Amino acid sequence: MDREALQERYGIIGESSAIKQVIDKIMQVSATDITVLLQGESGVGKDVTARAIHSLSHRSRNNLVIVNCGAIPEGIIESELFGHEKGSFTGAHEARKGYFEKADGGTIFLDEIGDTPKNIQVKLLRVLESGEFFRVGSSKMFTADVRVIAATNQDLWELVKEGKFREDLYYRLDTVKIKLPPLRDRQDDIIPIFRKFVTEFSSKYDSVFQGFSDEAKDLLISYRWPGNIRELKNVAEQLVVLEKSQFIDKDRLQKYLKGRQHLGSTDNLPVLSRSEYTDDEDDSFESPGGTDMGIIYRALLEMQGDISDLKKMLAKFVYSTFTDKEFKALPSAMPRDIDPNDISGHIYRDPSGKDSLGISTPAASPEEEETDEIQDFFSDKEIPSIEEAEKFLIEQALKRFEGNRRKASDALGVSERTLYRKLDQYGLQ
């Protein structure tokens, strides 16, 4: 099968050099059993690529099992992957095959492999190398003849360096890597892909698409498409359904785009709509280059508000969890509109070791040292990032409640599920 036939069969549209390289690699690896790692941003078509590789392989008559590793809760992912025996845990009323057993003789596609918990990674390594695994609650060894395709939108090597991903598993997966380009790097393919989606949705919804102007076409090409092909498909469907039988101009198209990410612009900066925040006749902040400094100033004010909210959240946590015997942090650790002396039943201690009445206090206890950690964290001249402050706050909550995640999540005002996700995000145990 040549490149054109493969693209037509699997709906892979594009003539850019980037997509042609992807097609060539698909054709090279499909006939083998070699492990393939698909790397690319969300929405670039990793699942379509995996289906194409499987369909062109000698395993095509058997199952292709797709597993989203990031969507399976940590507590059940081992059972989902490898199966379990009856009675192995609460709710296990009967034995059950896992995904690897179901994929025996075929292919398993492990999407978002970078989100796999560390304790599962070592078991994945074993099954990738020998095909051997154990069901949960069983001492009997099972085997499966499976071809593995993995995918990630993260840099696995960076995760290895951060200690979040096993180095041996990385080398086992990184046998053949196929990098799928983001849509913004294949601008020549945007219009053909858009036309394909429009044609499909027009037929599906019995609608007529009247086309679009040159300005709208230029906007489609210049837009960064952070959601890649998935976002492009979503926009095409909205236009067909909501703008039925309408000619699409630039203004009409702009309503369905995020309106802030365009190639060749300062796309990484927060840019707010002028019409939403400013008077069109007020050009007092207009710069010679056309950048509205007033809008940027407002964006900075909003960022300052986010930092203020984070400080208030920290203050709420400290004041709600420390007892009367535990001295409060310094004012520099609290929002300016919160006075530690106004909190009933608490004593404020300054750096000299004296309380609010100027009376010397005893040496710091272990509990007081917790407060000192908060003081030290906010004592630097530079304001910590929101991510740093969030990680620090989670660490303090877990330390305060001796690792009890339920109590920590209650004190932080978030769900346990959100806390688990944050622990994984920041590599906290």
Side-chain angles (χ1 to χ4, degrees):
M1 180 181 296
D2 59 17
R3 184 190 299 148
E4 290 75 14
L6 187 150
Q7 290 186 254
E8 183 177 355
R9 178 176 176 180
Y10 298 104
I12 303 175
I13 296 177
E15 294 297 326
S16 64
S17 59
I19 200 63
K20 286 181 179 179
Q21 292 177 12
V22 171
I23 298 297
D24 291 342
K25 271 201 170 182
I26 291 175
M27 296 172 65
Q28 289 174 347
V29 303
S30 294
T32 72
D33 277 340
I34 196 168
T35 301
V36 178
L37 176 63
L38 307 178
Q39 191 168 36
E41 298 177 6
S42 177
V44 295
K46 295 188 288 293
D47 56 337
V48 175
T49 305
R51 292 178 188 277
I53 294 174
H54 171 72
S55 297
L56 292 173
S57 72
H58 64 89
R59 298 174 177 267
S60 59
R61 295 181 180 273
N62 296 314
N63 291 335
L64 168 64
V65 177
I66 299 177
V67 184
N68 189 331
C69 300
I72 305 176
E74 183 177 351
I76 65 172
I77 188 170
E78 182 178 0
S79 171
E80 292 294 305
L81 290 174
F82 308 116
H84 62 257
E85 296 293 345
K86 180 179 179 180
S88 56
F89 54 85
T90 303
H93 302 300
E94 58 183 7
R96 179 181 178 276
K97 290 183 177 181
Y99 292 129
F100 274 91
E101 282 186 82
K102 294 178 180 179
D104 189 23
T107 305
I108 188 167
F109 175 43
L110 301 175
D111 198 7
E112 304 303 341
I113 189 69
D115 293 330
T116 308
K118 287 289 290 290
N119 64 313
I120 302 299
Q121 291 175 23
V122 64
K123 298 179 181 180
L124 278 177
L125 178 63
R126 180 185 179 89
V127 73
L128 263 61
E129 290 185 335
S130 64
E132 300 172 347
F133 61 92
F134 293 92
R135 287 183 181 178
V136 176
S138 174
S139 59
K140 177 184 176 182
M141 182 181 295
F142 291 82
T143 60
D145 175 21
V146 177
R147 199 262 182 88
V148 175
I149 302 174
T152 181
N153 60 6
Q154 305 178 71
D155 187 334
L156 289 187
W157 183 243
E158 286 299 320
L159 294 181
V160 170
K161 292 192 291 185
E162 294 171 6
K164 299 179 181 178
F165 200 83
R166 291 180 62 94
E167 186 173 1
D168 47 8
L169 179 58
Y170 169 79
Y171 289 123
R172 184 65 182 80
L173 291 172
D174 196 36
T175 309
V176 172
K177 181 184 295 182
I178 300 179
K179 291 187 177 181
L180 301 178
L183 197 55
R184 60 182 174 272
D185 289 348
R186 36 186 300 215
Q187 291 178 278
D188 294 341
D189 297 336
I190 292 177
I191 299 302
I193 296 174
F194 181 77
R195 290 188 184 278
K196 171 182 178 292
F197 289 143
V198 164
T199 301
E200 292 177 353
F201 290 127
S202 295
S203 176
K204 178 179 179 179
Y205 298 114
D206 192 24
S207 179
V208 178
F209 187 74
Q210 299 292 342
F212 48 93
S213 66
D214 290 340
E215 290 79 8
K217 179 179 177 180
D218 292 339
L219 180 57
L220 282 172
I221 295 174
S222 65
Y223 183 62
R224 285 189 63 85
W225 297 108
N228 292 294
I229 297 176
R230 185 180 292 117
E231 182 183 6
L232 179 64
K233 183 178 182 179
N234 179 268
V235 170
E237 186 172 17
Q238 291 181 75
L239 288 171
V240 170
V241 174
L242 302 178
E243 305 291 343
K244 187 174 183 179
S245 301
Q246 297 289 334
F247 184 78
I248 305 301
D249 57 19
K250 181 179 179 180
D251 293 336
R252 198 181 298 272
L253 173 62
Q254 182 70 67
K255 295 188 301 182
Y256 300 94
L257 304 180
K258 295 184 182 298
R260 62 178 180 269
Q261 299 194 32
H262 297 274
L263 297 174
S265 66
T266 54
D267 43 51
N268 291 324
L269 295 176
V271 181
L272 309 179
S273 169
R274 176 181 178 86
S275 60
E276 184 176 356
Y277 291 93
T278 63
D279 185 345
D280 289 339
E281 297 180 359
D282 181 11
D283 293 331
S284 58
F285 286 99
E286 188 76 4
S287 70
T291 301
D292 193 327
M293 298 304 295
I295 293 176
I296 296 177
Y297 178 71
R298 288 177 175 84
L300 293 174
L301 287 178
E302 288 190 3
M303 293 173 64
Q304 184 180 28
D306 290 339
I307 295 174
S308 177
D309 290 341
L310 184 61
K311 283 188 174 183
K312 290 178 181 179
M313 182 174 67
L314 175 62
K316 178 183 177 182
F317 166 71
V318 172
Y319 293 141
S320 64
T321 58
F322 280 72
T323 64
D324 292 344
K325 295 181 180 180
E326 297 166 348
F327 296 115
K328 298 288 89 184
L330 293 172
S332 60
M334 300 293 110
R336 291 185 178 182
D337 56 345
I338 298 178
D339 184 356
N341 294 305
D342 291 338
I343 305 300
S344 177
H346 291 91
I347 302 174
Y348 163 65
R349 182 167 60 91
D350 65 21
S352 65
K354 299 180 179 180
D355 61 26
S356 56
L357 299 178
I359 303 173
S360 298
T361 59
S365 66
E367 290 80 7
E368 292 169 344
E369 291 178 359
E370 295 181 9
T371 303
D372 293 336
E373 291 183 22
I374 299 176
Q375 171 188 329
D376 294 340
F377 182 76
F378 285 94
S379 63
D380 294 335
K381 293 182 179 180
E382 294 186 3
I383 298 176
S385 67
I386 292 178
E387 289 79 9
E388 291 172 338
E390 187 176 56
K391 178 180 178 182
F392 175 79
L393 189 57
I394 292 173
E395 289 175 330
Q396 290 298 311
L398 290 172
K399 182 178 180 180
R400 175 61 184 164
F401 296 106
E402 298 180 343
N404 189 313
R405 298 181 178 183
R406 181 182 61 79
K407 292 183 179 180
S409 62
D410 289 343
L412 293 169
V414 299
S415 67
E416 282 192 68
R417 184 172 182 174
T418 299
L419 179 59
Y420 274 97
R421 180 169 57 82
K422 292 294 183 182
L423 292 175
D424 182 66
Q425 176 183 343
Y426 296 124
L428 299 174
Q429 298 297 327

